[in-house]
Amino acid sequence: MARNEEKAQSMLNRFITMKESEKKKPKERRPYLASECRDLAEADKWRQQIMREIGRKVAEIQNEGLGEHRLRDLNDEINKLLREKYHWERRIVELGGPNYSRHAAKMTDLEGNIVDVPNPSGRGPGYRYFGAAKKLPGVRELFEKPPELRKRRTRYDIYKRIDASYYGYRDDEDGILEKLEKEAEGKMRKSVVEEWRRLDEVRREARKGATEVVSVGAVSAKEVLFEEEEDVVEEERREREKEEEKEREFVVHVPLPDEKEIEKMVLAKKKMDLLSKYASEDLVEQQSEAKSMLNIQR
């Protein structure tokens, strides 16, 4: 039995292969410039072809054992295909097709975080790193985040953040301060009312004690006045006797008050002296007011 290679070299098989190749169309080559394409379907077909090539190379670059040079070459080839894909997508938009660049994939770092694509020129999709190329020396540092330097705030930055809430003008908006103030106000009102009641009781007791002192003072003053009146009457009687004796000796040629009038005048003077000595001014005023209210002339 002949081998497969011998079968392929046989006359019949070569004839069949030649006929099949004649029937096939010549293999089309992708245009070098995307602007040469005038058909939207062909432009979409060439874009799909580039996408398949990019997919194969991205799968190949995942292997870390290829070596540094091979990884760098693969990464350069992928970026070249990406730039070509970008030109074809722009041509598709010019021909009236969809805008594929709007939903393009973003580059991620080793931890899977989305990072910005380095693009110093500002044209095209920028230079990207794929697979094991992200771990190459000199590339890993690009994905490391620089330590955040805490910048000291200036006086302008501090004043810029000051608003009404800093001064406490918005403390009532959350409702917390209102509840606390209500409780504090209730306690304060209660303490003030208790203090007022205590002072009112002290005032009432003081007034009650003052009235008792005034009444006791009036009674004691009356007793003292009564005793003094007796002494005064006795002294007046003695003086009157002495005067009678003197009148008997000489005759008075001027009108003199009667004995009753003299007694009244002396008694009134003694009373005033005693009142000024033992009674206070308030008591005298109260006594005079009481006499005036009762219409007592003496």
Side-chain angles (χ1 to χ4, degrees), residues 13-69:
N13 289 333
R14 284 185 292 174
F15 178 76
I16 293 171
T17 304
M18 183 183 65
K19 289 295 183 182
E20 289 177 356
S21 61
E22 289 178 357
K23 291 179 181 180
K24 289 182 179 179
K25 294 181 180 180
K27 189 175 181 180
E28 294 180 345
R29 187 177 180 181
R30 188 168 64 236
Y32 182 75
L33 296 176
S35 58
E36 296 177 357
C37 183
R38 301 282 188 253
D39 189 8
L40 178 61
E42 288 185 1
D44 201 347
K45 182 183 70 173
W46 299 129
R47 178 184 173 278
Q48 293 295 333
Q49 185 182 9
I50 296 171
M51 292 289 292
R52 287 191 294 269
E53 292 179 8
I54 292 173
R56 286 195 300 268
K57 293 184 181 296
V58 168
E60 185 180 358
I61 204 174
Q62 303 299 325
N63 187 6
E64 298 181 5
L66 294 176
E68 181 180 350
H69 299 289

Side-chain angles (χ1 to χ4, degrees), residues 78-89:
I78 293 171
N79 279 277
K80 184 179 179 181
L81 291 171
L82 284 174
R83 286 194 297 272
E84 191 174 354
K85 182 176 74 73
Y86 172 74
H87 293 308
W88 282 104
E89 288 176 350

Side-chain angles (χ1 to χ4, degrees), residues 1-9 13:
M1 188 175 184
R3 297 177 182 179
N4 293 333
E5 293 179 0
E6 295 175 357
K7 289 180 180 179
Q9 295 296 330
N13 289 333

